[in-house]
Amino acid sequence: MDERTRHFRRLKRLRGAARRWSVIGGGLTAATAVLTPYAGIGIADAAWAASAGASVALAWWRWSDHRQLAAVEPPPAPPPALPGHRLVAAVERFPAGRQVLQEVRRQRNRYAVRGSAVAQAWDRLDRASITLGGLTGRLTGPGEGAVLEAATAEHWLRDLGQRVASVERALPLTPAENRATLEQSHISLSDQFTAGVTAYERLVAAAASYVAEDGHPIAGQHPGLTGLIDATDRLRGLAEGLSELKRPPAPAA
C-alpha cells in the first residue's frame, strides 16, 4: 500500500469515527435531557450525563483530528504499475518463482558481459555468490557482519564488471589518438574487477570455514550424533526383547 492510499484511508477512518461518536453523543445527550427531569436526579442520571459528556468530547477530538489531517497535503500518487511489474510481483510471492526470477536476472546480467575480458571472472563471481547464499542462513553472530559486507562488495563488483564491458565495447569506436588512454583505463578496471572477485572468493571460503567450525562440537562427538546412536541402540534392544517374548519356549527334554 502506497503512502497516498494510506493517507486517505486514515482520513476516512477518522471521519467515520467522528460521525459515529457524534451520533452516540447526540443520542446520550438527548436521553439525559429527557430522562433527568422525568425521573429526577440520581446515580443513573449521573451515568447518563457522564456518558453523554464523554461521547461529545470524543466526537470533538475525532473531528479535530480529521480537520488536521485533511489540512495536510496528501502524498503524491505513485507511478502507475506496468502489467509486467504486477506479474513479477505476483511471481515473487512464491519461493520457486523467486528463484526462477533470480536465475533470469543472473542470465540477463551475464549476457551483458559476454565476450568481454571479465566474462570468466563474472562466472566466478556468480558461483561464489550462489555459494554464499547457501551459507547465509548459518552465518550467525559475528558472521552476520560479513554477509552485509559481501552484499555491498557484490553490488560494487557487478557494477564495475558491467562498466568494464561497456568500455570494452566502446574501444572500436574510439579515435586512434584517444584509444591508448582508454585501453589503459580498461586494463586497470579489468584488473581491479579480477582482484575484487578473488577477494570475494576468499571471503566466501572464510565464511565456509566459519560454518564448518561452528558445526563442530567442542570435544568428542556432536550431541545430536550421540543421541542418534543411543536411540538406535535402545530401539535395537527393545526389538530383541520383543522377539524373545514372542518366541515360543523350547520343549522340555
Side-chain angles (χ1 to χ4, degrees), residues 10-22 54-70:
R10 185 185 174 195
L11 192 64
K12 182 179 179 181
R13 285 200 303 265
L14 285 175
R15 184 171 58 250
R19 290 176 176 176
R20 188 165 52 252
W21 283 112
S22 297
S55 300
V56 171
L58 284 172
W60 183 83
W61 282 333
R62 290 296 177 266
W63 281 117
S64 177
D65 293 340
H66 178 268
R67 285 192 298 271
Q68 291 180 2
L69 186 61

Side-chain angles (χ1 to χ4, degrees), residues 145-178:
V147 174
L148 297 177
E149 292 291 339
T152 303
E154 182 182 357
H155 179 75
W156 166 70
L157 284 171
R158 294 194 182 279
D159 178 74
L160 179 61
Q162 293 178 354
R163 191 185 301 269
V164 173
S166 299
V167 172
E168 186 171 342
R169 285 192 294 268
L171 282 174
L173 308 176
T174 306
E177 60 271 16
N178 298 330

Side-chain angles (χ1 to χ4, degrees), residues 215-230:
H216 283 169
I218 297 176
Q221 293 179 337
H222 194 277
L225 178 58
T226 304
L228 183 62
I229 295 174
D230 292 342

Side-chain angles (χ1 to χ4, degrees), residues 18-166:
R19 290 176 176 176
R20 188 165 52 252
W21 283 112
S22 297
V23 172
I24 295 174
L28 291 176
T29 301
T32 302
V34 171
L35 295 178
T36 299
Y38 177 76
I41 300 175
I43 298 177
D45 301 306
W48 280 105
S51 300
S55 300
V56 171
L58 284 172
W60 183 83
W61 282 333
R62 290 296 177 266
W63 281 117
S64 177
D65 293 340
H66 178 268
R67 285 192 298 271
Q68 291 180 2
L69 186 61
V72 176
E73 184 71 19
L82 299 177
H85 292 174
R86 287 201 208 97
L87 179 61
V88 170
V91 172
E92 283 186 335
R93 295 174 185 171
F94 303 96
R98 193 179 308 118
Q99 292 178 359
V100 170
L101 289 177
Q102 289 176 355
E103 181 62 22
V104 170
R105 295 188 184 105
R106 189 179 70 82
Q107 292 297 334
R108 182 187 61 189
N109 294 333
R110 174 65 178 79
Y111 183 80
V113 299
R114 80 191 196 289
S116 66
V118 297
Q120 293 183 355
W122 187 278
D123 292 338
R124 290 166 48 197
L125 178 61
D126 276 342
R127 289 193 296 269
S129 176
I130 294 173
T131 303
L132 184 62
L135 299 171
T136 299
R138 295 176 175 83
L139 288 170
T140 57
E144 294 179 353
V147 174
L148 297 177
E149 292 291 339
T152 303
E154 182 182 357
H155 179 75
W156 166 70
L157 284 171
R158 294 194 182 279
D159 178 74
L160 179 61
Q162 293 178 354
R163 191 185 301 269
V164 173
S166 299

